[in-house]
Amino acid sequence: MQRDSRISMICVGDELLDGSIRDLNMRTLGSVLVDHGLKLDSSKVIRDGVDLISEALEKAVGIVVVSGGLGPTQDDVTRDGAAAWAGVQLAEDRESLETLRRRFEERNYPFTDNNRRQAFFPVGADILPNPRGSAPGFKLKVAGTTAYFFPGVPSEFQAFCETHLAPELAQGTGVRTRLYFHGLGESQLETRLDGIEALAKELGSRVGYRADYPEIEVKLAADSDEALESAVAFVESKIGLYAIGRDDEDISTRVGRLLMEQGATVTTAESCTAGGIAAKITDISGSSSWFEQGFVTYSNAAKHALIGVSNQTLERYGAVSAQVVTQMAAGARERAGATHALAVSGIAGPGGGTAEKPVGTVHFGLASPEGVYHQLIHFRVRTRERIRAGTVYSALAMLLWRLDGQSEHPNVRGPFAVEDVNTPEGITIETDA
Amino acid sequence: MQRDSRISMICVGDELLDGSIRDLNMRTLGSVLVDHGLKLDSSKVIRDGVDLISEALEKAVGIVVVSGGLGPTQDDVTRDGAAAWAGVQLAEDRESLETLRRRFEERNYPFTDNNRRQAFFPVGADILPNPRGSAPGFKLKVAGTTAYFFPGVPSEFQAFCETHLAPELAQGTGVRTRLYFHGLGESQLETRLDGIEALAKELGSRVGYRADYPEIEVKLAADSDEALESAVAFVESKIGLYAIGRDDEDISTRVGRLLMEQGATVTTAESCTAGGIAAKITDISGSSSWFEQGFVTYSNAAKHALIGVSNQTLERYGAVSAQVVTQMAAGARERAGATHALAVSGIAGPGGGTAEKPVGTVHFGLASPEGVYHQLIHFRVRTRERIRAGTVYSALAMLLWRLDGQSEHPNVRGPFAVEDVNTPEGITIETDA
């Protein structure tokens, strides 16, 4: 396959256009192509219909991957559309028929005439066995166009891409990486990275962004490792402090790796996130090695009873304060006997805001062997959901900063003794603008 | 708008074709149209590019909704493509500029030239204010085609569809409702609802499904309240037991309302979900009235230390057992002094499965004034993430069932005294295609 040959996709199915299900296959194909240094030029979603399918195929140039419409039901007419496009008949394939029959017998499913249809293919098609299911796919060449027909079931579609498409794709691909950040908005990020486009051009590398609150992803691609790493170095010199992960190492994985390496453990004391931080820390398998327990202390009574926050402090400063959140961290660390403890207390809204503590005000505490750290963040994001999601990420990012042993932070203060904590200024994180 | 006018969609963005993100907007638009008795004819996904966008617009007929490419970054060129299509210039809109500026100032957020680009629109366009964010959308008529340009951020796109598109859609809308269910697979659901299509036709109502794991949504629309409610009654008679919400009352809101009405409170003791249930219960404002605290007991030591599970029981039956999970619930209920306590313990994987306790095995405990309830569910879903998400929903659904005072449940057993709990059979929830 030429690197410059055009590649497009056709997704077939009423259910995709009626909002019944979400299409997952375009993303799968896109990733497979990117991994091979290729690009999906465009994708089209059409309804089940012989004419619609053959017309869409007429318009395709180069390589086209067709997803869906190969099932056993009457409205699965992709094979008929393919035959119409190629101007050939459908013919039954004995071998496929036997395989299908056997598969159904093994499962004691009734083998209906509908199922039998799945053994019919346009004359001249290469039949592609299904690595994950029963119905085969096929490949058909007409004039300058090569069309691959894969089942729409996401797990089967992916298996077909890997088994029957990827091996035929170009190998020469170049290198790429994805860097994940948290704590700045998309346009803020672009401003800080001003000049990277120029650098990228100079290096022959490529840059892309993706804002997926509360994460921002920076995608870098280049033709050599050197070019790629210089681009990475540039990005990290500008916004490294906001880094939360790279490639397959997301924030939870990175937190876990560092805790493992340091033989450390962590516990949590959560008010406004009410368990979200603990759930995030444990969203990778094996997290029991660094996380044993966490405290969800939503009420003041619970903050006092479970992790020993002083009622006097609660009364004097309020639950959403530097003093309380650092006592929460210190208390949780002691109760759990963990190396580090993360605590958050904030106003997630929509109710509960006041003039001096508006919705989005969140205090963060981190208790570590050397003392407690604190930061205050004002989340200027639209919804309770986003304030809580941002708080989870900022808490994990605060722990990452400590585990990385970074010395300078624009917002985190400490280490202090708990009794020395006072009320500070905070920064604002806005990710919705 | 005529009911027979063609409706298509154009999604703009390299990130969609490179597999960086999943498109959510086609599904949103499809649902909105179905709700109004209309149909999305086709959808196209193209890369960021002025020519690509204007060409796609050339080919559009009737109504076309364009998603994405209105952001502040350099590769957001949808507005330029629209202007090229209409053969007009871009002009700055004072009012939009001021609104944007004000919004940024209010948030002490730097207003860059990039952001300023969002105040430019093709001459002659109707500017559509953003109900959910900063950047406006717009509407443009060229010859027989009306094009709506909405931001690609899913929450904003949805708000635009509801605020700026739906009101202009065909009159034949009538009444509609959405029912949310959890605990059966899509095919299970269709089997149980066998006959609804016929009933719907007879009533002149419309039915649609939407699988959004761990929820299944059944959408009903009709021309009269009577027709709608008979359809609802039919659905509830078949799968009412799996109901977790309706319209704006999602599972957390419904749990909260019932607890409030009953003057009851709830606490949580979580192993495999590690805080996810507590976070879900509190994802609505005001939840402090029925939720005070929760326990994340990931390790056996924590299960014993925090909520008094007996070490003997842990040793004898293992952490993932009916005996342990009901002790967790009873212990948490007592420690927290709550009316009800939900507990879960399971194997979320990918590691940790065994022959008799494979990945996906989850035990649920509910402690209430009259005793403890138990259920065992085998999740046959693909990922750790899905097992944990399903567990959170099943736990809340179990509490809902108790709060609704329902007497018959296909899977939940009890009330028992904790010491009478034994090891039962479970059901399987299979939600992946």
Side-chain angles (χ1 to χ4, degrees), chain B residues 326-348:
Chain B
T326 45
Q327 278 193 23
M328 286 169 68
R333 178 171 181 267
E334 190 197 330
R335 298 291 161 103
T339 320
H340 306 281
L342 277 172
V344 297
S345 182
I347 297 159

Side-chain angles (χ1 to χ4, degrees), chain A residues 79-382:
Chain A
R79 48 174 44 84
D80 311 82
W85 169 57
V88 299
Q89 297 296 312
L90 290 171
E92 185 167 57
D93 177 64
R94 284 241 150 286
E95 199 184 323
S96 306
L97 182 64
E98 284 327 306
T99 317
L100 279 169
R101 263 231 187 78
R102 215 173 311 112
R103 213 183 138 84
F104 275 69
E105 274 161 18
E106 284 163 15
R107 290 169 173 62
N108 323 315
Y109 291 161
F111 189 75
T112 67
D113 284 356
N114 278 341
N115 300 114
R116 188 176 180 136
R117 295 180 62 241
Q118 298 188 294
F120 279 80
F121 303 92
V123 172
D126 300 343
I127 296 166
L128 309 172
N130 188 326
R132 289 284 302 262
S134 57
F138 58 96
K139 177 180 165 185
L140 198 53
K141 287 189 188 176
V142 173
T145 302
T146 307
Y148 294 81
F149 299 85
F150 296 162
V153 179
S155 58
E156 296 184 20
F157 182 84
Q158 178 159 17
F160 270 91
C161 286
E162 281 153 10
T163 314
H164 298 297
L165 186 65
E168 302 189 9
L169 297 179
Q171 52 278 77
T173 67
V175 286
R176 65 190 55 80
T177 188
R178 298 163 188 277
L179 307 171
Y180 308 109
F181 300 90
H182 166 71
L184 13 63
E186 202 181 355
S187 57
Q188 226 179 347
L189 174 112
E190 265 211 352
T191 313
R192 281 172 181 264
L193 289 186
D194 186 34
I196 186 153
E197 311 283 352
L199 176 82
K201 217 174 243 95
E202 175 191 322
L203 293 166
S205 57
R206 298 170 292 286
V207 193
Y209 305 109
R210 163 193 161 200
D212 189 8
Y213 182 83
E215 266 183 42
I216 288 193
E217 182 182 312
V218 176
K219 292 180 294 178
L220 298 168
D223 299 326
S224 76
D225 291 328
E226 299 63 31
L228 187 66
E229 287 313 317
S230 347
V232 169
F234 177 87
V235 172
E236 284 179 342
S237 71
K238 300 290 188 176
I239 56 173
L241 194 54
Y242 299 90
I244 55 171
R246 179 174 177 172
D247 294 327
D248 296 339
E249 190 174 62
D250 63 14
I251 191 165
S252 307
T253 313
R254 190 163 164 222
V255 163
R257 176 175 58 79
L258 291 168
L259 288 168
M260 281 285 265
E261 286 170 9
Q262 300 173 22
T265 60
V266 63
T267 187
T268 50
E270 306 181 63
S271 190
C272 59
T273 49
I277 296 171
K280 186 76 187 165
I281 288 174
T282 55
D283 74 7
I284 56 175
S285 195
S287 41
S288 52
S289 323
W290 53 85
F291 182 88
E292 272 218 349
Q293 61 196 285
F295 306 87
V296 180
T297 55
Y298 210 56
S299 69
N300 286 357
K303 290 177 181 69
H304 176 70
L306 291 186
I307 48 177
V309 175
S310 112
N311 287 323
Q312 200 188 353
T313 311
L314 281 162
E315 222 158 86
R316 183 150 166 218
Y317 300 100
V320 179
S321 64
Q323 291 81 358
V324 164
V325 82
T326 45
Q327 278 193 25
M328 287 169 68
R333 179 171 181 267
E334 192 197 329
R335 298 291 161 101
T339 319
H340 306 282
L342 277 172
V344 297
S345 182
I347 297 160
T354 66
E356 90 278 11
K357 291 179 184 177
V359 169
T361 304
V362 182
H363 286 270
F364 295 77
L366 168 63
S368 293
E370 67 277 15
V372 295
Y373 299 87
H374 168 268
Q375 73 173 328
L376 167 61
I377 296 178
H378 305 285
F379 286 93
R380 296 284 164 76
V381 292
R382 273 188 310 269

